[in-house]
Amino acid sequence: MTIRNSLFATVAISGLMAVATAGSAHAAGRLNVICSADNEWCEMMETAFELEHDIDVSMVRKSSGEAYAQVRAEAANPKLDIWWGGTGDPHLQAAAEGLTEVYESPQLGDLNDWAVRQAKNADYRTVGVYAGALGIGYNNDLLVKKGLPAPKCWEDLKNPAYKGEIQVANPNSSGTSYTALATLVQLFGEEKAFDLLKEIHKNVNQYTKSGSAPIKAAAVGETTIGITFMHDMVAQIKQGANLTVVSPCEGTGYEVGSMSIIKGARNLENAKIWAEFALSPKTQSIAEDAHSYQVPSNKESKIPDGAPRLTELKLIDYDFAKYGDAETRRHLLSRWDEEVKTAPQ
């Protein structure tokens, strides 16, 4: 399935016509991409790449958890060439299982330390392309209308006053929500974190498939509170939503959105061309045009206006190696399924 957008603003990619990608000039052929960023950004990347290269891109959009599941299911006969975007933990898990290809970009020296650490943690089977921190977002109008207190901390979300007011994604399908699960475990310890998750569960009105869906629902008044990445909240505010973005008082986790070439890719050289294209500062600087407000990995890229500055937030020392580990992930998701998802509300 090829993602297209007939309303795509040509001006947003005009600067990309001059991008000089490393490793190859124009190369004819095909490229199969699975994209775990928001649809608009996926579409913009596809269009910009095809304008720059004589390569026909076939793209599907899936959440991080779904993308990982597809890559794993197709390991014996890969249909995909490259996986772009989405939270880093499932990329690290795919790397640990040998599902992705070793590739050291010549642009590694131009990337922020957190992006390079992601590559090193995966033995160069993935690399960071952007970063963003978790937060709590709420609809100001609904909060006032319902007379609810403003949440400031993770612990606040267990307040019975929020019953039916919180929306969050399912961590099995959403990399965003798995990052939230792993963040709480690192902040509070596993036992206390699961006790808190069971209390918050009593207040959840829906577990969505996509990580950004809860704040989109809050933006249009379908729920009061959404737990997601702060950049997704900023995107809604930029489009006129009356939301408040909260960095939880106890501290918060963050993602390193990543990119991985699939092991056994049929269009390997074209996948490398995409990788260099995606890491270049000109390409990364179009994020804001796609209403995406993550911090880009290339130090020369333009940081979108309004993007949360990681250096100004109380971030935990997120253990990407441990929580991207396949066994750790399976354990936490299994426990969430058994103890949280099925708990009474």
Side-chain angles (χ1 to χ4, degrees), residues 195-325:
D195 287 343
L196 177 58
L197 284 164
K198 283 181 273 192
E199 291 299 314
I200 295 173
H201 171 75
K202 296 175 183 178
N203 296 331
V204 172
N205 58 54
Q206 183 182 354
Y207 290 106
T208 63
K209 181 184 292 185
S210 165
S212 60
I215 203 62
K216 291 176 181 177
V220 297
E222 293 177 358
T223 191
T224 303
I225 298 170
I227 302 170
T228 185
F229 285 115
M230 294 182 194
H231 51 254
D232 291 323
M233 303 172 195
V234 172
Q236 296 303 311
I237 292 170
K238 291 280 189 177
Q239 296 177 62
N242 186 14
L243 300 173
T244 292
V245 180
V246 176
S247 180
C249 69
E250 303 96 337
T252 194
Y254 65 103
E255 69 164 336
V256 174
S258 298
M259 172 175 64
S260 307
I261 296 175
I262 307 304
K263 183 75 172 178
R266 300 175 186 179
N267 302 292
L268 179 58
E269 292 308 310
N270 289 345
K272 292 177 181 179
I273 293 172
W274 174 284
E276 295 309 316
F277 167 84
L279 291 173
S280 71
K282 283 192 176 181
T283 300
Q284 291 193 356
S285 296
I286 69 171
E288 187 171 359
D289 295 308
H291 304 108
S292 294
Y293 295 90
Q294 292 92 328
V295 176
S297 64
N298 193 305
K299 289 179 283 190
E300 299 302 316
S301 302
K302 178 183 180 293
I303 298 176
D305 180 46
R309 297 302 200 265
L310 302 183
T311 54
E312 299 173 2
L313 301 174
K314 186 178 179 181
L315 298 179
I316 66 171
D317 186 14
Y318 194 102
D319 191 338
F320 290 98
K322 179 176 180 179
Y323 292 93
D325 174 73

